Amino acid sequence: MSGHNVWTHKGTFLLAAVGSAVGLGNLWRFPYLTGENGGGAFILVYALTIFAVGIPILIAETMLGRTSRQSPIMGMRHLTKTHKTSRAWESIGWLGAASAFLILSFYSVIAGWALHYTWLMLTGSLVGADAQTISAGFDALLASPGLMTLYHTLFIAFSALIVAMGIHKGIESGLRIMMPALFVILIVVLIYGIINGDVRAAARFLFTFNIADLSLEGWLHAMGQSFFTLSLGMGAIMAYGAYMSSEASLTRTAIAVAFVDTAVAMVAGLAIFSLVFGAGLETGQGPGLMFVTLPLAFADMPFGALVGGVFFILVLGAAVSSSISLIEPVAAFLVERFDMTRPQAVTIMVIAAWAMGLLTVVSFNVWAEGTIFHALFGRSAFEFIELLTNIFMPLGGLLIALFAGWALTQSEVMKELGTNITWFKTWRILVRFVGPAAVSFVFLRTIPQVEGYVIPTLGAVLIVGAFALGQRLRKSAA
Ligand code: PHE
């Protein structure tokens, strides 16, 4: 492939990967999961997984992108050919694209809520409001499909615009403005939290490790969260890796991404829980932590409306920089495979994800119960989509680890890693055994707890998929 796109600078991949990694996962999901699962112990498991499983798989996924220099689907096709391995490994690309698509669909809806709250904060609508008013306001938002669709549309259209402008003019330039601004805002919110909140209580909550506080559920959530927050197994990192400079170090970059991502989650946690404890509120509020508890804390604090507004701008920016990495793998595939222009490809991907997102929108109101999803899977469409991605993501990560660990040759990996034999061997043990074992553990514990027809459905899909693949293999062999 001559003249394949490469990021402008050696370090741009780091910027892009951090942009992808830092998102709603850090600012919204991490704090509420930590709050629900007993604080420090949860964080300990989360950090261990990031370190022992996340970083090695992050290296593997970037490596697959960089060696193939194509979008995840085409890239995996290329790699299975050049390595004469089973075409079944192509499923890594498809699984990644499917997860990216599904995640984008609901990610955009939730980011839309942040848009609503930015507006409420900056207009001062919540100043002095009490708990009832604020939680009624959140319920009213969820009850309105129209409003949610509006915000969802605005958010996804804006992300699409950036990706459509190309990796240099759109993604790179966008990130170069957004990311530094986000770090400044995060620090401002932290300082505000320290001054107006109770940072000691927050630190005690986050950093007291009491393993007895952690349920099995908590373990699973911690591991799932470490995949989600690093954007692993979704094709996003592979797609960005395809543009990575050959000179940049895979290991150092991966460690830097994991470090910044974890640091952002910790700082966000400190800031948010300082405010929550300072206002004497509950930590275990679940997904409403950011949209109900936090606005309530801001409501009674000096300059709360302004800082609250700035905080939700932070959330929005972080969400945009992640959602563009969800659009990229599918859009790049459409460009490569069907020779579309980038704007065409982005439009198709985003319209489809937008329509899919409507399922999430109605899951909170008109389809909140009694739908076919409830009958078959015991949950709403949104919860079902989320469950699917929670299965696909680690599954993708598992396959990536296995492929990179077993199918790539030593010389190839050594060349990509550009390191000594000791680190190579350590990395290979991690992706060959430790990562797959950790992911399998999560699966084996989660799967039996899933109700309804989820398992049979997934089983049927897998069987049909395997069959279709077998047919293709036979044809291509003939
Ligand atoms: N890592 C992002 C977050 O923490 C979510 C994401 C997942 C983005 C997968 C891209 C791909 O919010």
Side-chain angles (χ1 to χ4, degrees):
M1 289 206 79
S2 66
H4 182 88
N5 270 328
V6 177
W7 299 115
T8 313
H9 299 288
K10 195 172 135 184
T12 311
F13 172 81
L14 176 60
L15 177 75
V18 167
S20 172
V22 171
L24 295 174
N26 306 60
L27 304 174
W28 167 68
R29 210 160 179 253
F30 172 79
Y32 91 69
L33 283 177
T34 309
E36 278 185 333
N37 292 289
F42 176 87
I43 295 189
L44 189 64
V45 174
Y46 165 84
L48 278 179
T49 317
I50 296 252
F51 192 73
V53 183
I55 293 180
I57 297 185
L58 191 56
I59 293 176
E61 187 168 346
T62 318
M63 190 187 297
L64 295 185
R66 190 166 76 173
T67 40
S68 71
R69 289 256 176 251
Q70 290 172 57
S71 72
I73 293 174
M74 302 304 275
M76 284 312 300
R77 184 168 295 177
H78 172 78
L79 289 177
T80 57
K81 274 195 199 126
T82 49
H83 289 74
K84 303 205 171 44
T85 54
S86 158
R87 289 192 64 183
W89 291 109
E90 273 181 24
S91 55
I92 292 178
W94 289 106
L95 207 60
S99 323
F101 175 78
L102 291 173
I103 291 189
L104 179 64
S105 78
F106 69 78
Y107 204 81
S108 167
V109 175
I110 293 171
W113 300 349
L115 202 55
H116 180 68
Y117 276 86
T118 310
W119 172 252
L120 288 184
M121 285 287 171
L122 292 180
T123 52
S125 316
L126 297 180
V127 176
D130 61 8
Q132 249 173 2
T133 318
I134 290 185
S135 80
F138 186 55
D139 294 342
L141 171 67
L142 296 190
S144 165
L147 209 52
M148 269 167 65
T149 304
L150 171 73
Y151 292 127
H152 164 52
T153 310
L154 289 175
F155 179 86
I156 211 167
F158 182 69
S159 308
L161 194 69
I162 296 181
V163 184
M165 283 162 66
I167 70 163
H168 301 297
K169 285 215 185 84
I171 299 181
E172 273 191 49
S173 319
L175 290 172
R176 224 167 257 136
I177 303 169
M178 270 190 293
M179 298 315 287
L182 296 186
F183 291 115
V184 173
I185 295 181
L186 186 62
I187 298 305
V188 169
V189 176
L190 176 66
I191 294 174
Y192 179 85
I194 293 175
I195 296 175
N196 291 292
D198 188 346
V199 71
R200 275 157 176 266
R204 212 177 310 125
F205 177 66
L206 291 175
F207 304 119
T208 313
F209 304 112
N210 183 2
I211 273 298
D213 290 344
L214 195 63
S215 62
L216 183 65
E217 278 276 315
W219 268 84
L220 301 176
H221 280 307
M223 297 182 75
Q225 170 63 8
S226 62
F227 270 81
F228 185 81
T229 193
L230 289 180
S231 305
L232 286 181
M234 219 112 21
I237 291 297
M238 214 189 292
Y240 278 177
Y243 312 133
M244 186 188 195
S245 149
S246 317
E247 265 114 67
S249 155
L250 285 177
T251 307
R252 245 176 286 147
T253 309
I255 291 175
V257 172
F259 178 80
V260 177
D261 184 73
T262 306
V264 170
M266 299 295 163
V267 171
L270 260 187
I272 291 174
F273 286 117
S274 292
L275 295 170
V276 168
F277 283 117
L281 301 170
E282 284 293 318
T283 54
Q285 291 303 314
L289 182 68
M290 186 159 124
F291 298 104
V292 178
T293 313
L294 205 55
L296 188 56
F298 279 124
D300 278 332
M301 289 183 182
F303 306 106
L306 179 65
V307 179
V310 168
F311 173 81
F312 280 104
I313 292 177
L314 165 73
V315 176
L316 272 178
V320 169
S321 68
S322 297
S323 71
I324 57 182
S325 76
L326 291 166
I327 301 176
E328 181 61 26
V330 180
F333 165 69
L334 295 176
V335 170
E336 281 166 12
R337 177 72 180 72
F338 301 105
D339 241 353
M340 292 183 189
T341 65
R342 188 169 256 277
Q344 283 169 342
V346 169
T347 308
I348 291 179
M349 154 69 172
V350 164
I351 287 183
W354 175 85
M356 186 84 185
L358 297 180
L359 275 181
T360 294
V361 168
V362 293
S363 293
F364 291 95
N365 34 69
V366 286
W367 280 18
E369 51 201 61
T371 68
I372 182 153
F373 288 96
H374 292 89
L376 288 177
F377 309 119
R379 60 196 75 221
S380 70
F382 161 64
E383 286 164 334
F384 178 65
I385 294 172
E386 209 205 2
L387 176 72
L388 275 189
T389 59
N390 279 342
I391 296 176
F392 286 179
M393 233 175 343
L395 190 62
L398 172 71
L399 293 175
I400 287 170
L402 291 175
F403 184 80
W406 297 94
L408 298 185
T409 62
Q410 169 162 352
S411 60
E412 200 173 8
V413 174
M414 295 272 289
K415 188 175 132 256
E416 281 291 331
L417 279 182
T419 86
N420 55 31
I421 189 87
T422 319
W423 172 228
F424 166 77
K425 284 200 169 140
T426 315
W427 172 82
R428 205 167 62 174
I429 290 177
L430 291 172
V431 289
R432 279 189 167 180
F433 306 108
V434 178
V439 177
S440 311
F441 166 74
V442 175
F443 274 139
L444 293 179
R445 300 305 314 207
T446 324
I447 296 293
Q449 297 166 1
V450 176
E451 336 123 48
Y453 292 93
V454 176
I455 305 296
T457 310
L458 279 180
V461 169
L462 281 180
I463 291 169
V464 172
F467 183 73
L469 202 73
Q471 294 291 57
R472 284 184 61 174
L473 285 179
R474 272 182 39 204
K475 256 192 232 148
S476 59

